[in-house]
Amino acid sequence: MQNENVPADAAPDRDWRIIGLIGTGHFLSHFYMLCLAPLFPIWREEFGVSYAVLGLSVALMSAVTALLQTPVGFLVDRHGARPYLLGGTLIMALSISAMALAPSYWVILGLAVLSGIGNSVIHPADYAILGSSIGEKRMGRAFAMHTFTGNLGFAAAPLVLGMMVQTLGIGWRPTLLALGLLGLPVVAAIMLQSRILKDQARPKKSGAPVGRQVLFSRTMLMFFAFFLLSSMAGVGVQSFLIATLDRLWGTPLAIASLALTGYVVGATSGVLIGGWYADRYSRHFTFVTGLTALSIVLFLAMGLLPLPDVVLPVVALVAGAALGASRTPRDVMVKNAAPPGEIGKVFGFISSGLPLGGAITPVPFGLMLDNGMPWLVLPTVALLLLASLFCAGTARGEALRQARAASPSPLPAE
């Protein structure tokens, strides 16, 4: 589906400015979501609450974000993405800063909910702006950088908090105040550069489905399932790979940790490869299928074969890179399937499958290990990925069918 607002050869300098603005906000979004957990030991002593209660801050922030993404997507499509992006980023920044003044942990919980409200804006607004502002020749790289900057935010938060609080000895209150206020220049930059951020064109009246009809169409439900199952598989690997390798093969902690690091590095850097591919080739589903199949084989190898210690991190790195590279073409497939003017709600709904997958996965995978079934963990990851491919294929086929029905000219099949 061609972007009607932006010509295919739009100026690259303008595109990269947009990608930089949106990516910086996405970095902050992910950074703020992980900047509370490193403070749990300090808060436990200062506020006298349990770790279970402390975990509520992260759980509430994530849950509110996931629940509100779809309603916010409707608002973004109706009123435009820019004001919501500005407001959401500002709310996140001020909420984190205000935690520095909190007299009790219960105030921090309330501010975590407020930060989650601000964070719920990011995905629907970001994708609506990128899909409407970036030239088609750079759309894949734009989506790749969006994912990459978010992953960097996750990676940076524990390091920055640890350095400021533990190494430099800065108190947690000045640390949160400073980190929260970092969002204000980002808000100012987005505001000053907002003229280059385009909103979606309003959809023309037609018989095409709109609103809730779009979200509950077979195409979008299958894409939602694709994101959900992919997230469940990824969280299973990130949370339980070390324990699984230890229980299965007695892998030393250092080697198992290196394997997990390899997986995370591969998954993070792989999205950039996927963005490069998505901008140069059109067979996105074929690419996603091939790489996901490769990762399935590699996860099965780690779970069923006693691989040498020197090989294990390399296999995990390649598996992570394959999955990471498949993510950007996946996002472009969703964008192309979204009806004009509906990108905000589509990505708000579909991307809510990511935190939902993270919420569903830990307990059943933990039960496998607790009940002496570590051999089941990685094959389950492989099965989830295989099921996600089925959902992606169904969504892709339905989207092509709808596009052919709406267009008199033949469309290429993958």
Side-chain angles (χ1 to χ4, degrees):
M1 187 177 296
Q2 179 71 21
N3 185 343
E4 297 178 0
N5 279 356
V6 182
D9 58 348
D13 290 345
R14 183 190 63 85
D15 279 1
W16 286 112
R17 282 165 60 199
I18 295 169
I19 292 168
L21 285 172
I22 299 300
T24 303
H26 196 220
F27 173 90
L28 278 181
S29 163
H30 284 232
F31 184 93
Y32 287 151
M33 290 196 77
L34 273 195
C35 74
L36 303 186
L39 299 176
F40 284 177
I42 298 173
W43 284 351
R44 185 172 182 270
E45 295 296 324
E46 182 161 338
F47 295 119
V49 294
S50 68
Y51 280 116
V53 174
L54 288 166
L56 276 177
S57 60
V58 176
L60 285 173
M61 189 186 296
S62 299
V64 169
T65 298
L67 289 172
L68 292 184
Q69 278 187 166
T70 302
V72 169
F74 276 86
L75 295 173
V76 163
D77 290 342
R78 183 177 302 167
H79 303 293
R82 285 175 290 184
Y84 288 97
L85 179 60
L86 286 167
T89 306
L90 184 61
I91 289 172
M92 282 193 303
L94 294 181
S95 299
I96 298 299
S97 295
M99 289 180 187
L101 308 176
S104 71
Y105 178 69
W106 307 110
V107 174
I108 289 176
L109 277 184
L111 291 170
V113 170
L114 191 60
S115 182
I117 293 172
N119 204 0
S120 69
V121 170
I122 299 301
H123 277 164
D126 282 1
Y127 281 110
I129 288 173
L130 291 174
S132 304
S133 303
I134 301 297
E136 291 293 333
K137 290 182 177 179
R138 284 170 289 278
M139 191 66 69
R141 281 166 289 177
F143 281 7
M145 287 301 298
H146 184 261
T147 302
F148 183 72
T149 53
N151 289 341
L152 284 183
F154 275 154
L159 293 175
V160 172
L161 265 294
M163 182 184 69
M164 294 182 71
V165 176
Q166 302 292 337
T167 305
L168 300 179
I170 302 173
W172 71 266
R173 293 182 185 272
T175 295
L176 283 186
L177 181 63
L179 294 177
L181 292 178
L182 278 178
L184 299 185
V186 177
V187 173
I190 294 173
M191 185 180 298
L192 292 173
Q193 296 290 318
S194 63
R195 65 185 182 279
I196 66 173
L197 305 179
K198 295 185 180 295
D199 279 318
Q200 305 171 83
R202 294 293 180 265
K204 300 174 182 178
K205 291 185 178 180
S206 67
V210 294
R212 291 179 179 83
Q213 289 178 287
V214 173
L215 301 188
F216 291 106
S217 68
R218 191 180 184 198
T219 301
M220 296 308 163
L221 289 175
M222 286 295 100
F223 273 130
F224 174 84
F226 181 25
F227 275 55
L228 173 66
L229 293 167
S230 299
S231 174
M232 291 175 67
V235 170
V237 175
Q238 292 182 47
S239 301
F240 296 102
L241 181 63
I242 292 176
T244 298
L245 294 175
D246 171 55
R247 296 284 185 87
L248 274 177
W249 315 116
T251 305
L253 179 61
I255 299 299
S257 299
L258 188 59
L260 178 59
T261 299
Y263 170 81
V264 173
V265 169
T268 301
S269 57
V271 298
L272 301 178
I273 300 171
W276 173 87
Y277 177 90
D279 282 339
R280 284 162 175 77
Y281 305 99
S282 61
R283 302 181 70 84
H284 296 156
F285 179 64
T286 303
F287 186 73
V288 170
T289 300
L291 289 180
T292 305
L294 172 61
S295 69
I296 288 172
V297 171
L298 295 176
F299 285 129
L300 287 174
M302 286 190 286
L304 300 177
L305 302 173
L307 299 176
D309 288 350
V310 70
V311 173
L312 196 56
V314 177
V315 172
L317 173 69
V318 175
L323 278 185
S326 73
R327 294 308 179 235
T328 303
R330 174 196 69 178
D331 293 346
V332 175
M333 285 166 56
V334 174
K335 180 257 177 188
N336 290 341
E342 309 282 347
I343 294 177
K345 64 175 65 71
V346 163
F347 272 101
F349 172 64
I350 289 175
S351 62
S352 65
L354 301 177
L356 180 59
I360 292 173
T361 302
V363 172
F365 274 74
L367 287 173
M368 292 177 198
L369 291 172
D370 289 339
N371 289 281
M373 295 184 289
W375 52 268
L376 192 55
V377 172
L378 290 175
T380 300
V381 167
L383 184 61
L384 288 169
L385 290 174
L386 185 62
S388 77
L389 274 185
F390 170 79
C391 295
T394 303
R396 173 63 180 168
E398 188 67 17
L400 284 174
R401 186 190 67 77
Q402 292 174 355
R404 288 193 182 100
S407 174
S409 58
L411 295 173
E414 293 190 31

